[in-house]
């Protein structure tokens, strides 16, 4: 009788342990790539809704940028395919000749966006156009 109780307890513990493994296996630390919102620096550039804004610099003379943390994002040679597709769907075109390393450059109309992917984070940067000063020379009169 006592042996049967121990056996049932072992089966119960084994069942609970298996459920823990199943639940842990079903949760993913990879981004979902399903819901997107506009970036803090440019609402027309998509960012995953699950990304957490961690740093923003606006009104800098050379650039505006926002840094997002996103668990499961990996620094690599490519933008994740699902994200790349959404960026294109939102009307952005990659400027391949401008993209280098882990920074990709996109254009939409006259707007330029740089996307840099880091380990578990990414940055969306908007460079400000350089303002060239025109200096008119003085013409000497005879």
């Amino acid at each position: 009788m006592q042996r049967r109780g121990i056996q049932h307890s072992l089966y119960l513990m084994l069942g609970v342990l298996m459920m823990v493994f199943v639940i842990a296996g079903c949760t993913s630390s990879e981004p979902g790539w399903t819901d997107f919102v506009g970036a803090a620096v440019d609402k027309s550039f998509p960012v995953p809704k699950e990304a957490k804004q961690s740093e923003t610099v606006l009104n800098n003379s050379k650039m505006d940028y926002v840094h997002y943390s996103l668990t499961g994002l990996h620094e690599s040679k490519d933008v994740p395919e699902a994200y790349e597709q959404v960026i294109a769907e939102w009307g952005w075109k990659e400027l391949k000749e401008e993209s280098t390393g882990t920074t990709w450059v996109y254009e939409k109309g006259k707007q330029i966006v740089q996307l840099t992917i880091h380990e578990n984070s990414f940055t969306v940067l908007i460079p400000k156009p350089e303002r060239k000063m025109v200096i008119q020379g003085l013409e000497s009169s005879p």
Side-chain angles (χ1 to χ4, degrees):
M1 191 74 148
Q2 192 175 22
R3 188 177 212 181
R4 205 173 239 199
I6 292 172
Q7 192 175 22
H8 285 295
S9 295
L10 287 174
Y11 285 134
L12 180 63
M13 286 191 304
L14 183 61
V16 169
L17 187 60
M18 288 176 60
M19 286 176 51
V20 167
F21 283 127
V22 168
I23 291 171
C26 290
T27 60
S28 173
S29 63
E30 295 295 316
W33 305 117
T34 55
D35 296 321
F36 294 85
V37 296
V41 291
D42 187 327
K43 297 294 182 199
S44 71
F45 191 82
V47 295
K49 191 173 185 177
E50 61 195 292
K52 304 289 184 235
Q53 186 175 330
S54 60
E55 180 183 1
T56 306
V57 174
L58 300 173
N59 300 320
N60 181 303
S61 62
K62 295 186 179 189
M63 71 187 116
D64 292 335
Y65 73 88
V66 61
H67 187 80
Y68 293 93
S69 58
L70 184 61
T71 303
L73 190 61
H74 303 288
E75 188 173 336
S76 68
K77 299 274 184 208
D78 296 314
V79 174
E81 189 176 324
Y83 191 21
E84 180 108 16
Q85 183 178 353
V86 171
I87 292 169
E89 287 172 3
W90 282 42
W92 291 88
K93 179 183 173 193
E94 182 184 355
L95 299 177
K96 294 185 187 283
E97 64 281 354
E98 301 288 326
S99 300
T100 59
T102 59
T103 299
W104 289 266
V105 180
Y106 296 94
E107 179 181 45
K108 182 176 182 180
K110 293 184 179 184
Q111 182 68 313
I112 299 290
V113 169
Q114 294 177 0
L115 173 68
T116 304
I117 297 182
H118 316 280
E119 200 66 26
N120 294 316
S121 66
F122 65 97
T123 304
V124 178
L125 183 141
I126 310 280
K128 292 195 177 172
E130 291 184 35
R131 293 190 177 119
K132 296 182 180 177
M133 295 180 60
V134 177
I135 302 174
Q136 294 180 338
L138 296 175
E139 291 183 28
S140 42
S141 50

